Amino acid sequence: MASTPRIVIIGAGIVGTNLADELVTRGWNNITVLDQGPLNMPGGSTSHAPGLVFQTNPSKSMALFAKYTVEKLLSLTEDGQSCFNQVGGLEVATTETRLADLKRKLGYAQSWGIDGKILSREECKALYPLINEEDILGGLHVPTDGLALAARAVQLLIKRTEAAGVKYIGNTEVTGIEQSNRRVTGVETADGVIPADIVVSCAGFWGAKVGELIGMSVPLLPLAHQYVKTTPVPAQKGKNELPNGAQLPILRHQDQDLYYREHGERYGIGSYAHRPMPVDLDELGSYEPSSISEHNMPSRLDFTLEDFLPAWEATKQILPALRESEIEDGFNGIFSFTPDGGSLVGESKEVDGFFVAEAVWVTHSAGIARAVAELLVDGKSKIDLGDCDIHRFEEVQLTPEYVSETSQQNFVEIYDVLHPLQPKLSPRNLRVSPFHARHKQLGGYFLEGAGWERPYWFEANAELLKEMPDEWQPPARDAWSGMFSSPIAAAEAWKTRTAVAMYDMTPLKRLEVSGPGALKLLQELTTGDLAKKPGAVTYTLLLDEAGGIRSDITVARLSEDTFQLGANGNIDTAYFERAARHQTENGSAGDWVQVRDTTGGTCCIGLWGPLARDLISTVSNDDFSNDGLKYFRAKKVTIGGVTVTAMRLSYVGELGWELYTSADNGQRLWDALWKAGQPFGVIAAGRAAFSSLRLEKGYRSWGSDMTTEHDPYEAGLGFAVKMAKENFIGKAALEGRSEESSARRLRCLTVDDGRSLVLGKEPVFYKDQAVGYVTSAAYGYTVRKPIAYAYLPAAVSLGDSVEIEYFGRRIQATVTEDPLYDPTMSRLRG
């Protein structure tokens, strides 16, 4: 057998052992797994995990990871018994709000291919006889949910992979990561260095400590979560043969932050209803591996009864049979939480060959392990990793203060009904653009993203609703889609289409790529041909080797060796930084290239609308005519005495420019344009109008309308791929593909009744079969109907009728040619 890379996995819990197994399955054979605890019970979160697996998740990726975990644990058997008890899952509602949310969750399940059903209170009682049906309104039943036997799975995985040659070393603490030239070479322990080409940290809540060994920020917070077992419940007597056996579905009572499972005649109760309990790992102290047992392990802290008593009262209300039992045993178990609740997966940008798979719960363990194995062996996970990419956070989101506060807030809100636009209450105002003071004066309504304060609409524009023609008046929204929205967005869209508006585009990630090797690097990484004269702007894609879309960006060539990139976020930054480092280190003297994140030091105003040229000509002597600055061109100009880089781009589909300057000059630029724009009816417009206008124009948004799971032709972006270019990452994979040969395509849907809104991720039905899901949606103020985009099978054609399921209700929609607005591009190019 050919030798494969030397892999060291840190952590022999449910993630690390699954990863070893997935690598062995793919033919890799040189694997060592380390754990600081004994292998039969390492003492991490896996050792005490209650094992409840509810698969449904708003994130498609996380749902699919859970789905695979179920499949894997069902297939992992010994003596005829698998490592998954598929008793099903039941989530009950005691409020109308929760019942509506369960209908939305059923939509997620249908979108991601998970079977489920909304049950009446009578059906819930029939399925779960111990429940107090008088307290509930209904429930969501997912038959394929159930109980993972995590500790057993780990032992079977160790046994299976040891037989395949994997080496396991317990009771061994990692003391350092050896490296050379910013690449992993080994793992240091008290017994010496274990050579390694690749190291994967699956250390659970110790993951941040392992990351510190290479200077890497791993933004997770260990938090304690209460779990108890009751004394035997009389009503359970004789129901389960095994002490930990279960026949009833796993149960969630999210209105009281509780979940339940059977342990034979006893009940297990998990509670998130208590105060957050952050854990300082330095205070856990050292422990003697020989002393670890089921009741004595580092991840199992002493039970605090006073925190659990309200949950116990709520339990006796929803499950009256438990009134005849008592709390027999309890503990505060440590789990990992992150600023956005997602897992942390990927390769460090600091040290090549160092990977993490942290903040992974049992629910997603095998799925994420498979994804990491695919990443190592094939260079790509089949399931998109954007939602859990380790580099998705901005620098401000990596501070200990931010990680602590937001992770604790995620604990508090874990079972709350949260809107997709739900803003953080704190921390806020971490990042504000130079226009923020002016936006506040205009009554900006701010939501937060990546730490930025982003205005969604401006109360100063409310008066415009009285002037706005009747045909622009939007329909009334339902309560859910109406949250964090305002009809003022319609007025802002109207003024953008008919006059001129100023948009704050500052939060758009900006990178400067410079140096003699800049063009070479960008040509290799992008699908477009960037060998153009300075002043050219190109819309292009970043692909992986399999042709999946890593990102879409704009590239402006400002000079021979300097390019400005409009990117999607920090994942892009890390990708370019690593690629630039490799080219500089491995290339010739003329190949060096530097990547700088210039976002914080610069700002951008989108000045768009049919009167934009009239406005700008009053504050600049530069030529902004069509000949003076053509579509998708850039040049240096002076506006109101401020030096500006003007790019003729528009993501709202109207004439105009993105105007970039340094942050210190931002407010002066805003004021100059604002003053000059008064005779033209200029307004400030927010992200709500922007989102509507970009969908009318058919512009895609990375992360929702396209991910690494989609190729350019499926996404309708084949025009951005220049196959005549000598070479670029992903080119080989695209050979022979086309839009016509794609099995699925991103399609535009318009809602037939002209008023029913959806928000995204809802399932789409064709001939009564769920065939896709909504990627983006908005009300189209110009076209006067709701718009949704969805990936649909190629067999679904233009003009076909489909249905979108929204909170259990089917909404008729029609597959429509896109873009809906200005398909000839005359508005943009005029």
Side-chain angles (χ1 to χ4, degrees), residues 447-462:
L447 299 179
E448 178 267 348
W452 286 101
E453 294 296 320
R454 303 181 181 196
Y456 270 62
W457 65 84
F458 295 90
E459 291 296 332
N461 295 326

Side-chain angles (χ1 to χ4, degrees), residues 721-741:
V721 179
K722 307 305 178 188
M723 291 298 284
K725 195 167 77 163
E726 183 177 351
N727 196 28
F728 56 84
I729 291 174
K731 180 182 178 182
L734 295 185
E735 294 287 355
R737 298 192 204 179
S738 67
E739 196 167 310
E740 292 69 33
S741 66

Side-chain angles (χ1 to χ4, degrees), residues 637-693:
V637 297
T638 302
I639 299 173
V642 177
T643 302
V644 171
T645 298
M647 297 187 195
R648 178 97 181 266
L649 313 178
S650 170
Y651 283 95
V652 299
E654 295 295 337
L655 169 70
W657 308 270
E658 290 179 359
L659 305 173
Y660 296 91
T661 190
S662 57
D664 57 335
N665 280 305
Q667 186 168 293
R668 196 154 58 95
L669 176 63
W670 179 279
D671 288 347
L673 291 169
W674 185 258
K675 182 178 179 182
Q678 294 311 303
F680 304 101
V682 72
I683 64 160
R687 196 173 180 84
F690 178 90
S691 296
S692 169
L693 299 174

